């Protein structure tokens, strides 16, 4: 389930952009990938192409940006960007860091233009770095055009491809990339990040609410911050019940009521409970999910 779909798109931008990691120390949940990338910078063993794949909201694009920042940093320390040099300070405006959304720039002409531009040397950086997001959206012709560049890239070029669906990438593309599989972020790591964000933003929230948000995010840090952002629109302390109300999850009392009715084979009470849930505007699939989780917790 995509819980973030319940949130207005204009509300999504603030927290997850405001608290986007600024260096590898801020990156949660992808420790092994982080260490390998840092080592490649320390030992100056950079590949010409990388493929970051994994579920949405797990830090693929953020990691790509942090990696690009560290690669061009003038004073890296232990593979981490210093944040103080000109390259770091001007990273967001650096013309040598090119971000491409393949979902909207997926044609042959766009990739051919890219292929022509890679020949141009970086203007003020060590490397010109192309970050291609949702790369699986490229057309067959665009992949063929990109392949020619990946086969013999100029020494000053690094490609970072990000995708949620690596199985859609041609084997010829994957074979020319160093591949990193991003995993879902653990609930503990999401809670740690929520603690940091809530402290920095003075958000009044209960531990139970943070735990629930971490569970609902299902391993996606961006979704967790999106849900938190939605809860902030309401007045007062953010509680577990408030989170459930905003994402359409029935209260435990309702789940308990229908579970008892099922166990007692009381059809009338069960139907009454379901009608009550529907009349409150709750999503019935979320309700079923809560029943399953509730019974599983009792069994455990």
């Amino acid at each position: 389930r995509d819980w973030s779909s319940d949130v207005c798109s204009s509300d999504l931008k603030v927290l997850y952009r405001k608290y986007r990691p600024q260096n590898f120390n801020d990156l949660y949940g992808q420790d092994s990938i982080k260490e390998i990338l840092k080592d490649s910078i320390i030992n100056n063993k950079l590949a010409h192409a990388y493929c970051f794949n994994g579920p949405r909201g797990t830090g693929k694009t953020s990691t790509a940006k942090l990696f690009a920042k560290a690669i061009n940093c003038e004073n890296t320390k232990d593979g981490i960007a210093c944040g103080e040099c000109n390259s770091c300070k001007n990273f967001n405006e650096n013309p040598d860091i090119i971000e491409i959304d393949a979902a909207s720039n997926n044609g042959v002409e766009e990739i051919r233009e890219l292929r022509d531009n890679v020949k141009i040397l970086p203007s003020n950086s060590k490397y010109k770095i192309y970050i291609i997001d949702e790369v699986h959206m490229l057309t067959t012709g665009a992949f063929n055009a990109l392949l020619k560049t990946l086969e013999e890239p100029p020494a000053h070029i690094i490609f970072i491809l990000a995708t949620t669906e690596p199985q859609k990438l041609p084997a010829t593309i994957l074979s020319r990339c160093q591949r990193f599989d991003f995993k879902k972020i653990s609930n503990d790591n999401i809670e740690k990040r929520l603690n940091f964000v809530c402290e920095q933003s003075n958000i009044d929230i209960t531990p139970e609410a943070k735990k629930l948000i971490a569970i609902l995010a299902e391993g996606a840090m961006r979704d967790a911050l999106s849900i938190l952002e939605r809860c902030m629109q309401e007045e007062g302390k953010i509680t577990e019940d408030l989170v459930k109300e905003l994402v359409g999850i029935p209260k435990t009392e309702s789940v308990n009521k229908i579970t008892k009715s099922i166990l007692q084979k009381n059809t009338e009470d069960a139907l009454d409970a379901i009608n009550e849930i529907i009349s409150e505007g709750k999503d019935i699939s979320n309700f079923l999910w809560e029943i399953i989780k509730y019974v599983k917790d009792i069994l455990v």
Side-chain angles (χ1 to χ4, degrees):
R1 298 174 323 287
D2 183 1
W3 294 106
S4 61
S5 64
D6 296 329
V7 189
C8 174
S9 60
S10 62
D11 293 335
L12 299 181
K13 299 179 181 178
V14 183
L15 282 183
Y16 85 78
R17 287 188 178 174
K18 182 178 179 181
Y19 292 102
R20 186 184 285 275
Q22 296 302 305
N23 60 51
F24 281 132
N25 289 330
D26 297 334
L27 189 66
Y28 284 73
Q30 308 297 346
D31 292 343
S32 59
I33 293 174
K34 180 168 64 176
E35 292 306 315
I36 293 171
L37 295 178
K38 284 165 58 180
D39 285 344
S40 69
I41 293 171
I42 293 169
N43 299 314
N44 196 27
K45 292 183 178 179
L46 298 171
H48 70 274
Y50 296 83
C51 180
F52 294 170
N53 63 267
R56 59 185 170 75
T58 52
K60 297 183 298 297
T61 305
S62 292
T63 302
K65 290 182 178 181
L66 297 179
F67 189 39
K69 191 175 187 179
I71 287 171
N72 281 330
C73 176
E74 298 164 16
N75 303 299
T76 56
K77 184 177 180 181
D78 298 326
I80 299 174
C82 69
E84 299 295 330
C85 66
N86 287 332
S87 177
C88 289
K89 287 181 178 179
N90 301 316
F91 178 76
N92 291 328
E93 292 78 35
N94 190 340
D96 296 323
I97 308 297
I98 302 99
E99 291 186 59
I100 299 171
D101 178 17
S104 52
N105 298 281
N106 60 359
V108 177
E109 291 305 317
E110 286 88 346
I111 300 302
R112 282 177 179 166
E113 183 181 348
L114 178 154
R115 195 173 62 191
D116 292 338
N117 289 336
V118 297
K119 300 172 186 175
I120 303 171
L121 290 170
S123 58
N124 52 15
S125 306
K126 288 183 283 186
Y127 291 93
K128 182 182 284 188
I129 301 172
Y130 285 86
I131 300 172
I132 307 179
D133 204 6
E134 300 299 337
V135 70
H136 63 273
M137 299 290 285
L138 292 179
T139 62
T140 302
F143 272 127
N144 290 335
L146 179 62
L147 180 60
K148 293 182 180 179
T149 305
L150 287 178
E151 284 175 338
E152 297 179 358
H156 60 270
I157 292 293
I158 292 177
F159 285 98
I160 304 176
L161 315 180
T163 177
T164 53
E165 301 185 56
Q167 72 278 4
K168 292 186 178 180
L169 270 63
T172 48
I173 295 288
L174 285 174
S175 65
R176 286 166 173 79
C177 300
Q178 274 196 17
R179 178 171 169 175
F180 292 88
D181 296 320
F182 283 66
K183 60 186 178 182
K184 288 188 175 183
I185 302 170
S186 69
N187 291 349
D188 286 344
N189 276 323
I190 291 178
E191 279 192 69
K192 287 178 185 177
R193 189 62 176 170
L194 289 175
N195 284 332
F196 173 79
V197 170
C198 291
E199 286 174 8
Q200 293 295 312
S201 297
N202 297 316
I203 298 170
D204 193 9
I205 183 171
T206 66
E208 294 78 16
K210 281 184 282 192
K211 186 172 184 177
L212 178 59
I213 289 173
I215 292 170
L216 294 176
E218 295 186 325
M221 188 70 77
R222 185 173 63 236
D223 285 4
L225 294 177
S226 297
I227 296 169
L228 179 62
E229 181 78 40
R230 175 65 185 90
C231 295
M232 286 171 58
Q233 310 306 314
E234 304 296 323
E235 294 182 3
K237 178 178 283 192
I238 298 173
T239 63
E240 185 178 10
D241 283 344
L242 175 63
V243 176
K244 286 186 175 183
E245 179 69 28
L246 292 177
V247 299
I249 293 179
K251 294 181 180 178
T252 306
E253 292 84 350
S254 301
V255 178
N256 176 269
K257 182 179 178 182
I258 193 168
T259 304
K260 279 187 175 180
S261 299
I262 293 169
L263 291 172
Q264 295 167 1
K265 299 182 179 179
N266 190 330
T267 308
E268 188 175 343
D269 284 354
L271 290 173
D272 286 343
I274 291 173
N275 286 331
E276 186 179 328
I277 291 298
I278 294 172
S279 67
E280 290 176 358
K282 307 298 184 186
D283 186 280
I284 203 69
S285 61
N286 293 347
F287 184 40
L288 288 171
W289 179 75
E290 281 294 304
I291 293 172
I292 293 168
K293 188 164 71 72
Y294 181 78
V295 173
K296 184 208 74 172
D297 289 345
I298 291 172
L299 289 171
V300 171

